[in-house]
Amino acid sequence: MNMKTVRKRKVCRINGMKYNAELKIIIAKHNDGTENHFCLSDNRSHTKRNEEFKMTIRLAKEMRGN
């Protein structure tokens, strides 16, 4: 496991979500028991990938109502 995966897992855990590195998805669980899965793309650019990751975390938090 590389450090980028560790960092993404840590960020997701802080925000109450899970990160699956094999499938490249973020799993956000809601209080009512439902969960949303957000797929991340295979961008070659590191900056685009990081921006997409940040936007996805922000979107998941908004959908959850935080």
Side-chain angles (χ1 to χ4, degrees), residues 5-64:
T5 302
V6 171
R7 181 184 62 82
K8 285 181 179 170
R9 279 195 181 149
K10 184 177 179 183
V11 169
C12 286
R13 196 170 49 239
I14 288 170
N15 290 298
M17 302 167 203
K18 287 183 180 176
Y19 177 69
N20 187 327
E22 288 122 27
L23 299 175
K24 290 190 177 162
I25 61 172
I26 295 172
I27 303 166
K29 289 193 175 184
H30 303 293
N31 290 336
D32 59 357
T34 60
E35 58 184 37
N36 285 37
H37 294 224
F38 299 94
C39 278
L40 300 174
S41 67
D42 289 331
N43 274 330
R44 304 296 280 165
S45 166
H46 294 293
T47 52
K48 283 184 181 176
R49 262 203 321 258
N50 286 339
E51 287 299 316
E52 181 191 26
F53 181 75
K54 289 176 195 173
M55 284 177 29
T56 306
I57 291 286
R58 203 173 300 130
L59 174 69
K61 284 171 75 175
E62 285 176 14
M63 288 181 72
R64 200 168 52 190

